[in-house]
Amino acid sequence: MFISETQIRVRYAETDQMNVVYYGNYAQYFEVGRAESIRHLGFTYKDMEAMGVIMPVVEMHCKYLRTAHYDDLLTIKTTLKELPADHKIEFHHEVFNENKKLLTVGRVVLYFVTANGMQKTTMPVELYEKLKPFFSL
């Protein structure tokens, strides 16, 4: 299993009239968690795009347990429970506040597809090799 944590501070523009993070912003928080988790491995989305592979989101689930507010420091825990063997990758996200209270849980499914034809493909070998040590094969 691969786990990473990223912190982000809630900006004023991300809150609604009630000083609560607008629910749609969690998709962006999950994206930050995914991008930074890959960056922690020494690889980036930009690297993948240069290889001709992109990752569109095909499914997203989110459960809101508690609210986050302006200026809260959030920790986004991103987990890969399985090493992808085909075109699909599934990220699990948990968002915590500074008091380590769980605020939101989510799951995002993305596909690896070719940038020039949108055909399903597999994870780039370079990323696979960086993730493999975290999983018992």
Side-chain angles (χ1 to χ4, degrees):
M1 185 172 349
F2 174 70
I3 300 171
S4 75
E5 292 186 356
T6 303
Q7 291 190 315
I8 190 167
R9 189 163 301 275
V10 175
R11 295 167 292 196
Y12 184 77
E14 296 167 345
T15 62
D16 60 19
Q17 208 169 353
M18 299 174 289
N19 189 36
V20 171
V21 170
Y22 179 69
Y23 77 95
N25 287 316
Y26 285 90
Q28 291 180 15
Y29 294 166
F30 294 167
E31 181 182 357
V32 169
R34 288 192 309 274
E36 292 304 313
S37 69
I38 292 172
R39 187 180 308 278
H40 290 153
L41 293 168
F43 197 80
T44 66
Y45 276 3
K46 189 174 183 176
D47 296 334
M48 197 174 334
E49 289 175 349
M51 296 173 179
V53 177
I54 58 175
M55 295 172 58
V57 172
V58 297
E59 198 175 320
M60 183 177 134
H61 301 272
C62 195
K63 184 172 183 178
Y64 306 97
L65 307 170
R66 294 178 179 86
T67 58
H69 302 92
Y70 169 64
D71 207 39
D72 285 355
L73 183 62
L74 305 180
T75 298
I76 306 158
K77 181 178 175 183
T78 302
T79 305
L80 270 177
K81 296 180 179 180
E82 297 176 355
L83 184 61
D86 58 12
H87 65 277
K88 181 172 83 168
I89 188 167
E90 185 172 310
F91 290 91
H92 297 265
H93 300 282
E94 295 173 305
V95 180
F96 297 88
N97 66 14
E98 292 172 82
N99 297 321
K100 302 192 185 318
K101 294 277 188 183
L102 181 60
L103 306 179
T104 306
V105 295
R107 182 176 64 84
V108 181
V109 178
L110 301 95
Y111 283 175
F112 294 101
V113 299
T114 59
N116 62 356
M118 298 297 286
Q119 299 299 312
K120 293 177 188 172
T121 188
T122 56
M123 175 188 297
V125 173
E126 295 84 349
L127 180 55
Y128 181 86
E129 291 299 322
K130 291 181 181 291
L131 281 169
K132 190 166 65 169
F134 295 93
F135 297 88
S136 300
L137 299 177

